[in-house]
Amino acid sequence: MDIDEAVLITQERLAQEGQHLGDLLVFFRDRIAHTLIGESHWQRILERAETLPIEMGALPFGFEIPLHERQPIADFGVSLASGTRTASFYKELQRTNTGDETTNAILKLFQQMDSDGSKLRDIVGRKLMLEYDISSDSEDTHRLPGMFLRPGERPIMGGGSQVDDVNTVVDALVSCVGWSRNVAERKHVEHSYLEQPAHTRTDSFGIFPSRARSIRLAVMGFNDTQELCTYLENTGWPGQISVVESVVSRFHERANVVRSGVNIDVQTNGLGPSLGLTLIVKQRFTKDSRYWLDGQTDWEPFLRALSFEDVVYAKKIKDLENWHSKPTVLFAKSGRFVLLQGIHHIKLVISDNQLQKVKAYLFLVLSGAISI
């Protein structure tokens, strides 16, 4: 059974368990420490989840936890794919004139993915990720979420041979929210790609329609600090390179960092001043069935290394240690599900020439089509 078939089966089963994603989330409250997400904020997440179909539980969903904030707040992320029950949910909203700007943007992307000979589908497949800004003080529930595409079908590697692929993904995101195409922005995106070493990859593309315009690029696979810093210098990142060197050096001293990646914001006038760092710590040899989820990141030494940073709150770090776990069997009305949960990545955010923020991205995903 391939993964697409497994997702469809799981979605069919989840539809028997409730009406919306909030019906599913309530069962996971006791798994999430109150130091990570407090009760009042949890209720705000449930309110958002109640507007989303329960079938989203068949693809990864989860939380962005700001480890630098004392408050137990979080943003909420979900995944969906064209050609599935979740796509049908948004088509029905459009048909009944009950959709909003987010509905329109999603369906515009799906239309591009589903068209005959779709270049976009050849690169990113059919999946889209949304990030809802729950932790903001804004009460505007109609704010467009962040939208992300990942080149999972045809990876975009450095070396300069896939400029057309880069532009295809960026154009799809820009057009789906009604932004006009910007020549200067495109040139800076292309330049950021062309400066990538051949073994690196552009891991994801994102936009935040409710914020100031920029294109978020995640570039992964730098082998060492020098390579990373050379890339930042060549792309014209306006921050102090020495600050990046200092942060990476501290983690090198505490853990076995084998590779790194960066999140950059490409704007009309070049790269934005904030920078996200992702450090990959070598995984110990394991035959554990969840190896594919965590890649090469061994979270225990990384979290220990992170605990030395003054910017993070120790209690949150401690509670993260219990988050990543082995697959768990859950029993529901329609039968057994397998729950997978873990840490997708942790981002170190440098702005104003210092490490100011640390964000952990936690995921859960259910499968009703596998056994352990």
Side-chain angles (χ1 to χ4, degrees):
M1 181 185 303
D2 65 26
I3 189 169
D4 291 334
E5 184 181 358
V7 167
L8 291 175
I9 291 172
T10 302
Q11 288 188 338
E12 290 175 2
R13 295 227 5 238
L14 284 171
Q16 303 174 46
E17 301 295 334
Q19 296 297 314
H20 49 68
L21 193 57
D23 290 335
L24 186 62
L25 280 187
V26 294
F27 291 107
F28 301 127
R29 181 58 179 123
D30 61 353
R31 293 177 173 270
I32 304 168
H34 285 251
T35 54
L36 298 179
I37 305 178
E39 192 57 34
S40 63
H41 224 72
W42 178 252
Q43 292 303 316
R44 293 181 64 179
I45 290 173
L46 286 182
E47 289 174 10
R48 168 52 65 188
E50 287 169 0
T51 69
L52 304 171
I54 193 171
E55 291 91 343
M56 282 183 170
L59 288 171
F61 62 96
F63 313 99
E64 177 191 291
I65 307 292
L67 303 180
H68 57 281
E69 294 275 3
R70 183 181 297 275
Q71 284 185 292
I73 60 178
D75 287 337
F76 184 50
V78 295
S79 307
L80 60 160
S82 68
T84 66
R85 295 177 71 112
T86 50
S88 299
F89 170 84
Y90 286 99
K91 288 179 180 179
E92 180 63 15
L93 290 180
Q94 186 182 65
R95 188 188 69 80
T96 58
N97 292 318
T98 55
D100 55 14
E101 288 184 287
T102 300
T103 301
N104 294 335
I106 289 170
L107 292 179
K108 285 179 181 178
L109 274 178
F110 283 173
Q111 185 177 28
Q112 293 184 62
M113 293 173 177
D114 294 338
S115 63
D116 291 339
S118 169
K119 293 182 179 179
L120 182 64
R121 186 175 67 243
D122 289 344
I123 302 166
V124 304
R126 297 180 180 272
K127 187 186 294 185
L128 165 68
M129 288 162 285
L130 305 177
E131 181 182 301
Y132 287 96
D133 187 7
I134 306 293
S135 60
S136 170
D137 291 333
S138 173
E139 297 297 327
D140 182 5
T141 59
H142 297 290
R143 286 166 57 94
L144 278 160
M147 310 181 75
F148 297 85
L149 295 172
R150 300 190 69 184
E153 296 298 311
R154 185 164 70 217
I156 297 180
M157 305 302 295
S161 64
Q162 292 178 266
V163 174
D164 287 344
D165 287 349
V166 170
N167 286 330
T168 294
V169 180
V170 171
D171 287 348
L173 285 170
V174 166
S175 63
C176 83
V177 294
W179 287 352
S180 59
R181 297 186 180 181
N182 185 300
V183 174
E185 179 184 78
R186 174 183 283 244
K187 287 183 178 178
H188 289 303
V189 169
E190 291 180 356
H191 179 64
S192 297
Y193 167 66
L194 291 171
E195 290 296 337
Q196 286 182 221
H199 56 271
T200 63
R201 69 185 187 278
T202 307
D203 195 57
S204 71
F205 296 76
I207 57 172
F208 297 90
S210 298
R211 305 181 190 175
R213 176 167 173 166
S214 66
I215 307 296
R216 171 72 56 85
L217 302 179
V219 182
M220 299 297 298
F222 295 98
N223 286 328
D224 54 49
T225 308
Q226 183 58 53
E227 188 175 68
L228 169 64
C229 292
T230 298
Y231 174 74
L232 293 176
E233 185 175 357
N234 290 344
T235 53
W237 180 61
Q240 293 181 8
I241 303 295
S242 60
V243 176
V244 177
E245 292 174 326
S246 175
V247 171
V248 177
S249 175
R250 294 201 299 269
F251 280 86
H252 266 296
E253 292 173 358
R254 304 167 187 159
N256 186 15
V257 176
V258 294
R259 286 194 301 279
S260 61
V262 290
N263 283 8
I264 54 176
D265 290 324
V266 182
Q267 303 169 346
T268 301
N269 59 349
L271 268 57
S274 293
L275 180 77
L277 282 175
T278 300
L279 305 180
I280 306 300
V281 175
K282 187 175 182 180
Q283 174 80 21
R284 294 164 296 184
F285 178 75
T286 178
K287 293 182 178 180
D288 194 298
S289 60
R290 60 172 291 114
Y291 175 74
W292 66 274
L293 287 172
D294 289 339
Q296 286 194 310
T297 297
D298 188 355
W299 289 113
E300 290 180 10
F302 183 83
L303 292 176
R304 282 200 303 271
L306 187 58
S307 67
F308 288 96
E309 297 293 327
D310 293 336
V311 70
V312 301
Y313 285 92
K315 185 66 171 97
K316 287 190 174 185
I317 296 293
K318 185 67 177 177
D319 287 331
L320 274 186
E321 294 175 1
N322 302 318
W323 178 258
H324 50 102
S325 63
K326 293 184 177 181
T328 304
V329 177
L330 304 178
F331 296 91
K333 290 183 292 185
S334 63
R336 294 194 315 167
F337 287 88
V338 174
L339 172 68
L340 304 174
Q341 68 181 62
I343 302 172
H344 186 271
H345 67 285
I346 293 177
K347 182 169 65 178
L348 311 172
V349 181
I350 294 174
S351 57
D352 295 329
N353 293 314
Q354 60 182 316
L355 178 58
Q356 286 197 347
K357 301 177 181 179
V358 179
K359 300 179 179 181
Y361 294 82
L362 314 183
F363 73 86
L364 305 96
V365 62
L366 287 164
S367 178
I370 64 175
S371 59
I372 60 172

